[in-house]
Amino acid sequence: MKREDDYLYIQLSNTLRNQINSGQIKPGESLISENDLARHYSISRVSVRKSLQLLVADGLIITQNGRRAIVNPAYIPRPGRAFRIFADTPSYFVEHSLQEILTLFRSRHPEVDVQLLTFPKWVFWDTIENMESSGLRADLILLTDSQLRRHESEHAPFVDLAREISTEELQIYPKLLQTPANTDSVIRALPLSLSTVFLVYNPDLFREYGVPFPSKNWSLEDFLETSRRLTIDSDKDGITDLYGFCVTPTWNRWPIIAQQYNVSFHNLHEDAEQLAYVLELIRGMAFRERTMLVYPRDIDGRGPFYYGKAAMTLTTNVELGVMRANGLAFEPKIAQLPFGPVRARRIGAIYGMVPEHGDTRLAVDFLHTVLGEDIQEQFVRSRMYLSVRRPINEGVWDQDDMEMIQEDELMGDWSTFLQEMFPSREVMFRMDEDMALFWSGVESVGPLIERLKKHFPQAEHS
């Protein structure tokens, strides 16, 4: 667990925030220098800068190179109580969508000092425990489905939101309520945002090179041939600079291909042959035919597809929304996943949980704001998100696109959260480490499969 001293920058940011909201430091006035802040509060300049960055992000102060930070002249002090939101990061939703919600919520509660504190995923729950021991408690926690499953939340003191919000009235997909934190009658984790993995393509590149658009029932052979035709040395310098397909080698993307071939990562000994087929398919595209580009994940969504250097990619609703927010130069189209016979889907969600010791009234109002028809519809229209409320998707999404992402199957037996796909988080990480050489193109499938099997116990047969 992290030491309390490691989070002094958060305590400093809250001290300065309270001084600004109380009027002790007025809009337009300067803060004392970074050196003086470090000396006065006995923390490092690095911690001082991190605390100032939090205040800049919330619009309280303005920093200028070579000058002292000043309180934003346009900031309206909020002398009322603080409302703290804890969230995990990195997160497309938190970093690119939450600010719009915070702006709307602050406009509805101008007397409240709304504070957003983000913590790294890998130390999220430890950090929250540490913050609470320091006296800083959350009124609302926002977290991914994966983070939710890392915590024994069924025993934690969180509010039963079934008493406050009717999921039936909002017509929230029932599958999203099936988490370790919830039961048939108790809802401690409320879904706020929904995403799924799907295939998209750049129609401008298809038109430019005379390649037919994907049809509703196109086959794996059609996909492979399309990838070949769109893998091009466009500037004739002897180096391929346009790829038919690109993928990032993370568990958030490529396993959807394995799922479509009914591969179970819970039973790898029995499904090893099917997984080998999938990995041979990937290896052939990436390193034999070189029609697929493997690239590292970039949190802002600006990968090869964004820059028009790949014609197709596997993405999610949230990542695609980030691309559009960052000025994507074309309008992407959705294609049906052509890889295997199973209509499998990998889904992800953002949840809200309300600690019992917090301001339940404000937290529930925030959740109502996120689930409101205006916010949910806005995200679907402007970001290509999926709403957690089925009627909004049906009212906004194009019917053909709904069929392409198989929305009717999203909440069925073949839709799984990432953490449900593996026996444990540790197994998932160990497998990820074991695949490094494979993704570099220097290891064949056979040795990799044998090494992966070691993470799974051999089933006993009577």
Side-chain angles (χ1 to χ4, degrees):
M1 185 185 300
K2 295 276 187 177
R3 296 180 296 108
E4 180 178 340
D5 289 348
D6 292 336
Y7 303 103
L8 287 175
Y9 77 93
I10 294 178
Q11 296 182 25
L12 174 58
S13 72
N14 281 302
T15 297
L16 295 174
R17 188 190 304 272
N18 291 336
Q19 291 175 359
I20 293 170
N21 281 319
S22 67
Q24 186 176 341
I25 310 175
K26 295 179 173 55
E29 291 184 350
S30 298
L31 276 61
I32 61 176
S33 70
E34 291 183 6
N35 284 335
D36 288 341
L37 284 169
R39 188 162 41 251
H40 183 76
Y41 292 99
S42 301
I43 61 176
S44 69
R45 285 193 64 184
V46 171
S47 293
V48 169
R49 287 170 183 161
K50 289 172 71 175
S51 68
L52 296 181
Q53 287 169 3
L54 291 177
L55 298 177
V56 170
D58 285 343
L60 273 75
I61 67 171
I62 297 173
T63 56
Q64 306 171 78
N65 289 334
R67 299 183 180 181
R68 296 180 181 180
I70 66 169
V71 178
N72 188 343
Y75 179 72
I76 300 175
R78 297 178 174 88
R81 66 143 295 172
F83 177 72
R84 295 191 185 95
I85 302 172
F86 290 177
D88 64 348
T89 188
S91 164
Y92 286 119
F93 178 83
V94 170
E95 293 166 15
H96 297 278
S97 303
L98 188 56
Q99 289 303 323
E100 298 175 41
I101 300 170
L102 291 173
T103 298
L104 177 59
F105 186 74
R106 284 169 174 146
S107 71
R108 293 177 176 176
H109 296 278
E111 77 288 355
V112 176
D113 177 21
V114 182
Q115 303 174 11
L116 172 64
L117 303 179
T118 59
F119 310 121
K121 292 179 181 294
W122 47 92
V123 292
F124 183 68
W125 289 111
D126 284 346
T127 304
I128 288 179
E129 183 179 343
N130 185 282
M131 297 301 294
E132 290 183 346
S133 67
S134 302
L136 292 175
R137 295 186 170 186
D139 297 290
L140 175 66
I141 296 176
L142 302 179
L143 67 169
T144 62
D145 58 273
S146 297
Q147 198 67 255
L148 176 61
R149 293 168 191 275
R150 297 172 194 168
H151 185 63
E152 297 296 329
S153 51
E154 65 269 29
H155 302 303
F158 290 100
V159 172
D160 177 9
L161 295 169
R163 304 172 184 172
E164 308 289 345
I165 297 173
S166 172
T167 57
E168 291 185 2
E169 183 177 324
L170 294 174
Q171 298 186 54
I172 292 175
Y173 291 101
K175 169 71 178 181
L176 298 179
L177 300 174
Q178 297 172 14
T179 77
N182 299 337
T183 66
D184 290 341
S185 59
V186 175
I187 299 175
R188 295 189 179 93
L190 191 68
L192 306 175
S193 173
L194 169 64
S195 187
T196 184
V197 177
F198 54 95
L199 181 68
V200 291
Y201 65 95
N202 181 337
D204 294 352
L205 291 176
F206 277 69
R207 292 191 193 97
E208 182 177 351
Y209 293 100
V211 178
F213 289 167
S215 64
K216 284 187 178 180
N217 297 307
W218 72 330
S219 65
L220 175 61
E221 290 71 25
D222 295 331
F223 169 79
L224 294 175
E225 178 59 24
T226 297
S227 296
R228 294 185 194 104
R229 293 181 62 180
L230 287 167
T231 298
I232 297 166
D233 172 14
S234 65
D235 56 8
K236 309 301 181 185
D237 66 351
I239 300 175
T240 300
D241 55 6
L242 172 63
Y243 287 83
F245 181 54
C246 69
V247 68
T248 180
T250 68
W251 292 113
N252 289 317
R253 297 293 182 271
W254 75 266
I256 187 63
I257 304 175
Q259 281 185 282
Q260 292 219 310
Y261 286 97
N262 203 20
V263 172
S264 170
F265 291 98
H266 288 268
N267 201 7
L268 196 56
H269 287 276
E270 292 189 11
D271 289 350
E273 186 176 341
Q274 284 293 85
L275 179 59
Y277 174 83
V278 171
L279 294 178
E280 286 287 7
L281 173 65
I282 291 173
R283 187 167 182 259
M285 291 185 66
F287 306 113
R288 186 175 299 113
E289 296 193 21
R290 298 186 182 278
T291 58
M292 180 179 88
L293 179 64
V294 179
Y295 72 100
R297 179 175 182 243
D298 192 340
I299 190 63
D300 68 359
R302 296 180 183 178
F305 184 75
Y306 174 88
Y307 287 109
K309 295 299 182 180
M312 298 179 287
T313 193
L314 290 173
T315 187
T316 66
N317 303 87
V318 177
E319 183 182 49
L320 192 56
V322 173
M323 291 188 209
R324 297 180 75 182
N326 284 335
L328 189 63
F330 57 90
E331 187 63 29
K333 299 294 184 182
I334 300 174
Q336 190 169 22
L337 289 169
F339 302 109
V342 179
R343 291 170 62 88
R345 284 290 164 184
R346 207 282 291 169
I347 57 176
I350 299 293
Y351 287 86
M353 302 182 73
V354 180
E356 288 183 348
H357 56 62
D359 190 326
T360 300
R361 182 186 64 81
L362 275 177
V364 169
D365 190 54
F366 186 92
L367 296 176
H368 273 297
T369 299
V370 180
L371 292 172
E373 187 172 333
D374 51 348
I375 286 289
Q376 292 284 313
E377 186 172 318
Q378 173 187 336
F379 283 157
V380 174
R381 291 189 185 280
S382 64
R383 299 289 182 87
M384 290 187 74
Y385 284 8
L386 279 168
S387 174
V388 298
R389 300 175 57 183
R390 187 166 195 167
I392 291 179
N393 291 327
E394 293 173 343
V396 179
W397 273 79
D398 179 83
Q399 186 60 40
D400 287 341
D401 286 341
M402 291 279 279
E403 292 179 9
M404 290 294 186
I405 64 173
Q406 298 166 229
E407 183 270 346
D408 60 323
E409 295 288 334
L410 278 178
M411 300 302 123
D413 293 338
W414 291 107
S415 290
T416 55
F417 292 104
L418 180 63
Q419 296 293 317
E420 292 179 320
M421 293 171 58
F422 299 90
S424 69
R425 181 166 166 256
E426 290 70 27
V427 167
M428 183 175 69
F429 286 148
R430 287 201 299 268
M431 289 179 66
D432 198 33
E433 292 173 354
D434 280 349
M435 294 186 71
L437 291 178
F438 170 81
W439 289 114
S440 299
V442 297
E443 182 176 45
S444 60
V445 171
L448 172 61
I449 291 291
E450 292 306 312
R451 195 163 63 255
L452 293 179
K453 283 182 180 179
K454 295 178 181 179
H455 301 309
F456 299 85
Q458 181 74 52
E460 296 183 4
H461 299 282
S462 56

